[in-house]
Each structure stands twice: as structure tokens, then as C-alpha cells.
Amino acid sequence: MTERKPPGVSFESWVDRQIREAEARGEFAELPGAGKPLPEVTDTAYDELWWIKRKMAREGLSVLPPTLALRKEAEDALVAASVAPSERIVRRIVEDINAKIREVMFKPPPGPPLGLKPYDVEEIVREWRAAREDRAPGDRHPDGRGKGGAT
């Protein structure tokens, strides 16, 4: 639509005519979401970034403050350590996450406080051993692999 508004025609009339002509040409037919209600606004207050948040949700993206992302990573590390196939891997997983936790403890990024301290590697290894001993020889790991997984 590169056409300019002719002089002497009100802006509203000119826009209305453009819309009518586009509808007649079928330019609004089969648009995504046609005939469906508009999605409900989830926030009660107006948010200028609503469209960015909706786009990120559609694309499966999320942006967490660094401390919250590290909390999630720490939870995931504990789960990974609990199903690790060897003690060496358990130690490496816990030591790696501890290094990240210490870094944030000494140089806090912006955002909410981390609320974590480094894990006791020996305690987690003891828990891993105990869980491993509790399994019968034919039991499988929670991740579906057999007991003799790769180290």
C-alpha cells in the first residue's frame, strides 16, 4: 500500500476505502487465527511488553534472572547426579555446579538472591551409593538404562 492519501479526502474515509478494497480482493481471507477469539490477556495491568512475552512463549523461549537460572541448573544437577552411572561422574557434576554457585556467591549478579550454598560432594556421593545399593541387580536406572551404564 504505497498509495498516498489524495488531498481533500478525510484520513478516516481514505483508510476505510483502503480496508474495503483489500477485503474485496480477499487479502484478509485465511489469515492465521481468522474466526477465532483473541487470546485472553493474562495480566490484569497493561504491560508494554505483552507481545514480546507472547512471542517468547510461542517460540518456547524463557529468560530467567541469572540466579533463578542457576537454581534450576542446580536442581537439574542433583537429579543428574542421582542417576549418574559412576561415582566419578557424580563428583564431576556436583563439583561443576558448586563452582558456579561459588562464583555467584562472591560476585552476585542482579536479580533475586541465589539462596544456595555449595553442596557437600561427599554427602551426595553417600546418597548416590545408598540409592545404588538399594536397587536389586535387575533394576533399571530412573533414566531407563540398565544398571551397568557407561562411565
Side-chain angles (χ1 to χ4, degrees):
M1 184 170 112
T2 58
E3 183 181 335
R4 297 182 67 110
K5 179 181 89 57
V9 176
S10 76
F11 185 75
E12 186 175 350
S13 299
W14 181 73
V15 170
D16 289 337
R17 190 184 95 231
Q18 296 292 317
I19 293 171
R20 253 192 333 275
E21 290 173 358
E23 281 179 324
R25 289 190 302 268
E27 293 182 17
F28 297 124
E30 299 181 35
L31 289 174
K36 297 178 185 169
L38 291 173
E40 300 240 355
V41 177
T42 56
D43 298 335
T44 55
Y46 178 72
D47 182 4
E48 291 180 355
L49 301 177
W50 66 268
W51 63 276
I52 293 173
K53 291 176 182 175
R54 192 167 292 155
K55 172 76 172 165
M56 290 177 68
R58 244 189 347 263
E59 300 295 328
L61 302 172
S62 68
V63 178
L64 289 175
T67 52
L68 295 181
L70 183 55
R71 283 185 196 175
K72 174 69 174 122
E73 188 177 349
E75 286 177 16
D76 294 344
L78 290 178
V79 170
S82 73
V83 296
S86 71
E87 183 176 320
R88 180 179 55 82
I89 294 174
V90 173
R91 289 179 183 281
R92 188 193 55 185
I93 291 169
V94 177
E95 288 168 357
D96 288 349
I97 198 64
N98 279 348
K100 292 178 181 183
I101 291 171
R102 283 188 190 97
E103 183 180 335
V104 170
M105 287 174 61
F106 297 119
K107 294 185 244 172
L114 178 60
L116 288 177
K117 61 182 182 179
Y119 297 113
D120 181 344
V121 176
E122 296 306 318
E123 177 62 27
I124 291 175
V125 168
R126 276 193 296 277
E127 291 172 4
W128 175 84
R129 283 183 187 146
R132 192 171 184 107
E133 290 169 2
D134 289 344
R135 286 189 220 125
D139 287 352
R140 300 184 72 73
H141 282 277
D143 66 357
R145 292 181 303 182
K147 194 165 182 167
T151 55

